[in-house]
Amino acid sequence: MAVLWALHPLATEAVVYVTQRTELMVAFCYLATLYASLRYWAAATHAARTAWLVLATLACLAGAASKEVMISAPLVVLLFDRTFVSGSFRAALRRSWSLYLGLAASWLLIAVLQAGMPRSESAGFGLGVPLVDWWCTQAQIFVMYLKIAVWPSPLVIHYELPVETIGVNWMYVAATAALAAVTLVLLWRRPAAGWLLACVFAILAPTHVIPIVTEIAAERRMYLPLAALVVLVVVGSYWLLQRARPRAEARWPLRAIGTLSLLVAVVYSVASSRRIETYHDPVALWRENVALQPFNHVAQMNLAVALSAAGSPQDAIAHYREAVRAKPDFVEGRYRLGLAHAAAGAAL
């Protein structure tokens, strides 16, 4: 499971693209919070429980300082407690109330950090995006995330999709609602599988619920949910093989899953290495993006910037024009286009 998660091509943006280090930081803190909570429940002495409680709280606070997606961590830990440790929410809260009090402190930190509205121009409910249309579009993106988790191609550095109504996205809304219903049923009937699917929904929820007008979708947001999906697929496949041949040799499902996982890991490693090579060439990276999404004004502008840096000013001007054509009110694109024309005129 660890090998498949580490080598999955979908993880390349978070790992290789240095500006996405916040995704790695919050993922580390999220997993550290869960691990410290596990050690808290298993501790044999009061001193050990106190130490792991403090570490869980600090990890959760550090995650909250890294990225807002950490807001779901206390709830995921509580759901884990209910599913695997205590058996019910009431018993979990009664037994580990001090732990949840410490984890909930991260919500106060997030509130304090958001008090100055640092993302007011890029994320929020008052940016002119119809909420219902945003949520319907995010259902389409949720299905896209699941698709590239299974078949990671094509991958692009920046996604640009229109925000559309339920009339356009109804099939994605239906698919997402059906998966949410399956998750609820599994939480009741097969709680381990249900917990893994709930983790995917919980981690993605902030970016799906709150409009983020500057980036409607991003592969890096699947970095941590991908871990839950890999566990679900590997352990689920092992369980299915056991059920399919209950009288077979006891270790054969392990051998089968191990062999298949290694083969998939080889494929993932080749695909990831090729993807990493693309990141080394900004022109190739953004040209690939433009080829897949020619209407993407951000990709067009960034390709123009890369071409200009590579010494191709005329090609850069052409893509600046495409960026402005894709979005006529794109102020930065118009500004850079003007600078490019001025530089070309000065060179002549």
Side-chain angles (χ1 to χ4, degrees), residues 29-49:
C29 293
Y30 211 113
L31 295 175
T33 300
L34 182 57
Y35 176 75
S37 299
L38 289 169
R39 297 300 300 269
Y40 167 83
W41 293 317
T45 65
H46 178 74
R49 286 173 63 86

Side-chain angles (χ1 to χ4, degrees), residues 261-312:
S261 297
L262 287 175
L263 292 175
V264 174
V266 170
V267 175
Y268 279 176
S269 64
V270 172
S272 294
S273 64
R274 291 180 178 177
R275 183 66 179 158
I276 291 170
E277 290 177 2
T278 306
Y279 277 95
H280 288 297
D281 185 352
V283 173
L285 181 66
W286 290 107
R287 198 182 292 281
E288 175 189 72
N289 203 151
V290 166
L292 292 168
Q293 294 189 325
F295 53 84
N296 188 329
H297 67 284
V298 173
Q300 291 282 4
M301 185 192 72
N302 286 333
L303 175 57
V305 171
L307 287 167
S308 180
S312 302

Side-chain angles (χ1 to χ4, degrees), residues 208-221:
H208 282 326
V209 173
I210 300 173
I212 304 174
V213 296
T214 54
E215 201 165 23
I216 194 169
E219 293 167 9
R220 64 181 177 276
R221 295 172 187 165

Side-chain angles (χ1 to χ4, degrees), residues 246-263:
R247 297 183 180 179
E249 195 268 327
R251 294 182 62 84
W252 89 269
L254 184 62
R255 296 193 183 100
I257 293 299
T259 302
L260 181 60
S261 297
L262 287 175
L263 292 175

Side-chain angles (χ1 to χ4, degrees), residues 30 68-77 79 142 183 194-209 221 224-225 228:
Y30 211 113
E68 296 87 346
V69 71
M70 195 71 185
I71 196 170
S72 63
L75 300 178
V76 167
V77 172
L79 186 58
F142 183 78
T183 301
W195 180 80
L196 289 167
L197 283 174
C199 286
V200 177
F201 278 101
I203 297 167
L204 291 174
T207 56
H208 282 326
V209 173
R221 295 172 187 165
L224 188 55

Side-chain angles (χ1 to χ4, degrees), residues 107-321:
W107 294 340
L108 296 177
L109 178 58
I110 291 175
V112 170
L113 293 175
Q114 295 302 310
M117 302 182 67
R119 303 180 188 269
S120 59
E121 296 184 359
S122 60
F125 294 109
L127 298 176
V129 180
L131 281 181
V132 175
D133 294 350
W134 174 267
W135 294 333
C136 292
T137 303
Q138 286 300 309
Q140 176 188 355
I141 291 169
F142 183 78
V143 174
M144 181 195 76
Y145 285 159
L146 296 181
K147 178 263 177 186
I148 58 177
V150 175
W151 186 261
S153 178
L155 300 177
V156 298
I157 190 63
H158 186 276
Y159 287 87
E160 182 73 22
L161 298 169
V163 178
E164 295 180 313
T165 64
I166 192 171
V168 176
N169 290 314
W170 66 268
M171 72 277 299
Y172 301 109
V173 174
T176 303
L179 185 58
V182 169
T183 301
L184 292 175
V185 172
L186 288 175
L187 282 171
W188 180 258
R189 303 295 298 273
R190 298 285 180 183
W195 180 80
L196 289 167
L197 283 174
C199 286
V200 177
F201 278 101
I203 297 167
L204 291 174
T207 56
H208 282 326
V209 173
I210 300 173
I212 304 174
V213 296
T214 54
E215 201 165 23
I216 194 169
E219 293 167 9
R220 64 181 177 276
R221 295 172 187 165
M222 276 297 291
Y223 179 69
L224 188 55
L226 182 63
L229 289 175
V230 168
V231 173
L232 180 65
V233 170
V234 173
V235 177
S237 299
Y238 179 83
W239 179 81
L240 288 174
L241 288 175
Q242 281 186 316
R243 297 293 294 268
R245 296 178 61 185
R247 297 183 180 179
E249 195 268 327
R251 294 182 62 84
W252 89 269
L254 184 62
R255 296 193 183 100
I257 293 299
T259 302
L260 181 60
S261 297
L262 287 175
L263 292 175
V264 174
V266 170
V267 175
Y268 279 176
S269 64
V270 172
S272 294
S273 64
R274 291 180 178 177
R275 183 66 179 158
I276 291 170
E277 290 177 2
T278 306
Y279 277 95
H280 288 297
D281 185 352
V283 173
L285 181 66
W286 290 107
R287 198 182 292 281
E288 175 189 72
N289 203 151
V290 166
L292 292 168
Q293 294 189 325
F295 53 84
N296 188 329
H297 67 284
V298 173
Q300 291 282 4
M301 185 192 72
N302 286 333
L303 175 57
V305 171
L307 287 167
S308 180
S312 302
Q314 294 303 319
D315 290 340
I317 288 174
H319 285 284
Y320 280 132
R321 287 174 176 166

